[in-house]
Amino acid sequence: MPLRPGVIPPSVLRANGPPPEVLRQWSDALAAAGLYSEALEVHPALERVDIVRQAELAVLAGIHTTALELLHELAAGKSERTRRTVAPLAKERPVSPWLNLLSRVAELLAGTGDLAAVQAVAEGMPSSAGQDWIVALAAVSVGDLVAAAPLARSAREGGCRDLRMLTIAAADHARLGEYQQALDLTGQAQRIALPDEDPAALTVHVLQRCGFGDAARALAMAGVGDGTLSPAFRTDWKAAATAIGAGGLAMLGQRVRAHAKRADRRIERKVREAEAIADYDLTCRCYGSGGWIGPGRQFYLQNHLHELLPAPVAGLGARLMICRLTSLTFLDLMSREITLPVPSSPPTSVLNPDADEARPTPGMGVSLGLALPA
């Protein structure tokens, strides 16, 4: 429940910044929105479980050098923050299969590993959304769409909301000539994408990287010619088609037909005008909100929310905002054009320093299954 209206949460106003318990929650919120690099930057690094989480985030963000450094520190277990707690008579704890899998994936991303090693470790582990997520990213990084696609679908079914899983599954549909299904999945990714993300281009890139150039061009042209898509989504497909040389007379023909549909364009314009009017509505929409994406959020932020802290986390281009009606707090990342709801007080549960490392942490998969509104 929110605090009493008008009450500023004291935990985030400390001189040395928000407490680690709050920063962990903020990191999870950022990761849920697909901001893995930012989540890594925010997450504290005090306990062994923190370093495990940071290693996961580094792999998800594709920062393999940081991932390998963290995983090496965990394997050694000699630093103050990664030292294991072992009973006096117990034998040395075996290497965690989850950390082993993360290490193999990080090596693959660094160019020193191979997919077979990743798959061998994964086969010996209980299946989970987090595991399928990581292995799918590894497979597509080396151009194996056939191996990546079923894992991406499984991760998605398990609750993973990484839009890369949608684009991998969409690329697989296009590989099979199922272009409408591919456009539907890419459309889902477009609706939850950040302003600096382009799922159409990413889907085309996956197809090209995996050796399906013809399917990439055919999918791009299918997107250009799909009159049911919004103007913005069709623009993305036109850019993708042009980038891979799928323009020419076919593209010109699509543009001519698009200009002929003046009635449709008038309807689309009215819809956009209605959406613009909604952007200027200052009715409080904070309680229960999943956040806001894009430049249209600025009027609401500037006129309804209030800046609580200009830089709550050093090095992170974000400001902490508060709604004085509900006392709910939001982290606004200006450069990424996204505003997320974040807690302003520590959780009731206590961090477990001896958490099981045999499987992904709760931050992987279902528990962070969050889709923001377009």
Side-chain angles (χ1 to χ4, degrees):
M1 292 293 292
L3 297 174
R4 188 172 69 255
V7 176
I8 297 177
S11 60
V12 296
L13 296 178
R14 304 189 319 170
N16 57 346
E21 298 83 1
V22 170
L23 291 177
R24 292 185 184 100
Q25 293 176 296
W26 288 9
S27 177
D28 283 352
L30 291 166
L35 299 167
Y36 306 114
S37 297
E38 291 82 356
L40 173 61
E41 193 168 353
V42 168
H43 205 288
L46 303 177
E47 306 285 346
R48 183 178 175 88
V49 290
D50 290 331
I51 309 307
V52 173
R53 180 61 178 152
Q54 284 194 329
E56 292 174 343
L57 291 169
V59 171
L60 290 173
I63 311 174
H64 55 79
T65 52
T66 299
L68 288 171
E69 290 172 0
L70 294 169
L71 289 163
H72 176 75
E73 182 182 349
L74 287 165
K78 295 180 180 179
S79 64
E80 185 63 31
R81 63 184 185 179
T82 59
R83 188 171 291 117
R84 296 174 184 269
T85 302
V86 184
L89 300 179
K91 296 181 179 180
E92 184 178 354
R93 289 174 61 178
V95 177
S96 158
W98 173 238
L99 296 184
N100 190 18
L101 177 61
L102 288 175
S103 298
R104 301 292 82 76
V105 173
E107 290 168 356
L108 179 64
L109 297 176
T112 59
D114 59 77
L115 184 58
V118 172
Q119 292 171 326
V121 176
E123 288 172 359
M125 297 174 56
S127 180
S128 68
Q131 176 188 320
D132 292 341
W133 184 6
I134 288 289
V135 180
L137 292 176
V140 82
S141 72
V142 294
D144 195 337
L145 179 58
V146 174
L151 294 169
R153 293 189 180 95
S154 176
R156 185 73 183 173
E157 291 169 359
C160 174
R161 292 297 180 266
D162 185 347
L163 64 79
R164 290 174 293 185
M165 299 299 100
L166 282 168
T167 57
I168 291 172
D172 192 53
H173 277 299
R175 175 184 69 86
L176 299 173
E178 300 166 351
Y179 300 117
Q180 189 55 56
Q181 292 93 321
L183 290 175
D184 290 344
L185 285 177
T186 308
Q188 293 181 37
Q190 288 172 314
R191 284 189 287 274
I192 64 172
L194 300 181
D196 58 358
E197 294 176 326
D198 188 345
L202 180 56
T203 304
V204 167
H205 172 73
V206 168
L207 285 165
Q208 288 183 301
R209 183 179 184 84
C210 297
F212 302 103
D214 290 342
R217 287 184 286 273
L219 176 62
M221 290 310 304
V224 171
D226 190 339
T228 65
L229 296 178
S230 70
F233 292 175
R234 286 206 305 273
T235 298
D236 289 344
W237 283 115
K238 289 176 183 178
T242 302
I244 59 175
L249 292 176
M251 178 75 76
L252 178 61
Q254 296 294 346
R255 287 176 177 170
V256 170
R257 285 191 290 275
H259 281 288
K261 297 180 179 179
R262 295 181 179 179
D264 291 345
R265 286 170 31 227
R266 282 197 297 270
I267 294 173
E268 292 170 352
R269 185 175 65 251
K270 289 182 179 179
V271 170
R272 290 196 298 270
E273 289 173 353
E275 292 174 347
I277 293 173
D279 288 338
Y280 288 87
D281 179 11
L282 288 180
T283 303
C284 181
R285 304 190 296 271
C286 295
Y287 190 73
S289 171
W292 304 279
I293 295 175
R297 78 198 196 290
Q298 285 296 343
F299 183 82
Y300 185 75
L301 263 62
Q302 298 299 341
N303 294 276
H304 181 78
L305 300 183
H306 300 267
E307 186 176 285
L308 187 58
L309 290 173
V313 181
L316 183 70
R319 55 182 176 166
L320 188 66
M321 312 287 288
I322 186 171
C323 169
R324 296 193 183 278
L325 291 177
T326 62
S327 293
L328 295 173
T329 50
F330 298 83
L331 200 61
D332 180 44
L333 286 81
M334 292 81 75
S335 62
R336 301 300 301 273
E337 297 187 353
I338 181 171
T339 306
L340 297 171
V342 291
S344 56
S345 58
T348 55
S349 59
V350 180
L351 180 69
N352 179 12
D354 296 321
D356 184 12
E357 298 173 10
R359 58 183 61 84
T361 64
M364 296 286 292
V366 177
S367 69
L368 288 186
L370 171 69
L372 291 169

